[in-house]
Amino acid sequence: MDFDRHCREESVLVDVQEALLKGKKEEVEKLIDETLALGLPAARVLNEGLIVGMDRLGVLFKNGEVFIPEVLVAARAMNAGMARLEPLLVKEGIQPKGNIVIGTVKGDLHDIGKNLVAMMLKGAGYRIIDLGIDVSAEKFVAAATEGRADIVALSALLTTTMVQMRGIVEALRSNGLKIPVIIGGAPVTRAYADEIKAEGYAPDAASAVEEVGRLLKG
Ligand code: B1M
């Protein structure tokens, strides 16, 4: 009996990863409930189930083996799993890896890419303060201050709105906030990030997770 239970404890975490990769939201929820019924700590379920699953998905996405629809569906499943674990994680006193304020810049209504980035970062263990779309420099400054941001993340999809990023970096600095800024979105490049003195740039959601990790280490 104990042996069977031990085997299930090991395999259920792999099942969580697989269900996440397939984007099966209800299956993820059911498996998370099973892990908790087995008495696994929520932090272990998060780290060895959901986060490993998201890491695997990130690699597949980067290599072009899965595409945006699969990532969105998996991200939804991950959010459902996280919602199940969240109250227990708080009880277990697990600290998020850092606070990230994210938003799409003023004048820009595109949010699919920004949401993907936010979901991947959440999956990697960061606390996300999502300001949504059409966000002014003032709102970024206020949220970064109130949310004790470790990173400010800016998304833009239009050549006409990416120019807002410069003003946001300047507004943060002129308010004394030396928080690293990461930028991204289809028209955005590393050269542009360098030009406006944003510390980070990522071309896609999986790279954004790597870049944030690099910025927080540095
Ligand atoms: Co619009 N749109 N759109 N649009 N739209 C584009 C961006 C466009 C390229 C289409 C085209 O003409 N070929 C074009 C921009 C041209 C340009 O400026 N160079 C365009 C235009 C012109 C417009 C309008 C002006 C159209 C009009 O009204 N005349 C208008 C502007 C509205 C506004 O924002 N003020 C408009 C409106 C819309 C919709 C509202 C209809 C809708 C948005 C719905 C929504 O987001 N909820 C829409 C859509 C869907 C698109 C396309 C078709 C798809 C964008 C998308 O979601 N891609 C787009 C054409 C295209 O890209 N093929 C287009 C999928 C998404 C996962 O990718 O957002 O690039 P993406 O995110 C990626 C990376 O960029 C990166 O990671 C993500 C995942 O890998 N990334 C980051 C994004 N943010 C990041 C942040 C990071 C790091 C990485 O760090 C913080």
Side-chain angles (χ1 to χ4, degrees):
M1 176 69 181
D2 274 357
F3 178 72
D4 286 350
R5 190 186 170 97
H6 176 72
C7 288
R8 186 58 192 143
E9 280 180 8
E10 295 303 315
S11 66
V12 72
L13 293 171
V14 178
D15 289 350
V16 169
Q17 295 168 25
E18 295 295 330
L20 184 74
L21 283 169
K22 291 182 191 131
K24 294 187 171 172
K25 177 173 163 284
E26 281 80 21
E27 184 75 12
V28 168
E29 288 173 332
K30 213 176 90 197
L31 287 162
I32 297 278
D33 289 345
E34 187 183 343
T35 63
L36 300 177
L38 283 164
L40 293 183
R44 187 170 168 209
V45 180
L46 175 68
N47 291 322
E48 295 176 31
L50 292 175
I51 291 183
V52 173
M54 267 327 246
D55 284 348
R56 287 175 59 191
L57 186 77
V59 173
L60 293 173
F61 182 55
K62 217 173 166 186
N63 294 339
E65 291 170 57
V66 298
F67 300 96
I68 285 155
E70 287 102 313
V71 176
L72 284 173
V73 173
R76 242 194 327 262
M78 189 207 67
N79 273 339
M82 288 278 291
R84 280 283 210 277
L85 291 177
E86 217 151 1
L88 289 147
L89 290 170
V90 172
K91 235 193 250 168
E92 285 174 19
I94 301 301
Q95 294 299 316
K97 283 193 206 159
N99 299 326
I100 301 182
V101 165
I102 191 167
T104 301
V105 302
K106 191 159 182 58
D108 201 320
L109 308 178
H110 296 85
D111 69 355
I112 298 170
K114 183 265 297 169
N115 290 345
L116 252 179
V117 172
M119 284 174 187
M120 297 285 274
L121 288 168
K122 192 172 178 191
Y126 296 96
R127 177 173 157 252
I128 302 299
I129 302 155
D130 189 343
L131 305 181
I133 53 174
D134 192 21
V135 184
S136 66
E138 295 74 35
K139 276 195 193 151
F140 275 109
V141 170
T145 310
E146 285 157 22
R148 293 206 203 103
D150 299 296
I151 295 278
V152 173
L154 312 177
S155 179
L157 259 285
L158 301 171
T159 43
T160 49
T161 57
M162 64 184 267
V163 292
Q164 294 289 331
M165 291 172 159
R166 184 191 296 273
I168 298 165
V169 173
E170 286 171 3
L172 289 164
R173 303 300 172 242
S174 65
N175 280 277
L177 299 168
K178 292 190 182 121
I179 305 161
V181 177
I182 173 173
I183 65 172
V188 178
T189 60
R190 171 75 69 183
Y192 184 65
D194 293 344
E195 186 190 318
I196 66 167
K197 299 191 170 58
E199 289 77 0
Y201 159 76
D204 55 58
S207 313
V209 175
E210 286 170 16
E211 183 77 339
V212 163
R214 185 185 71 77
L215 291 172
L216 289 178
K217 261 189 216 128

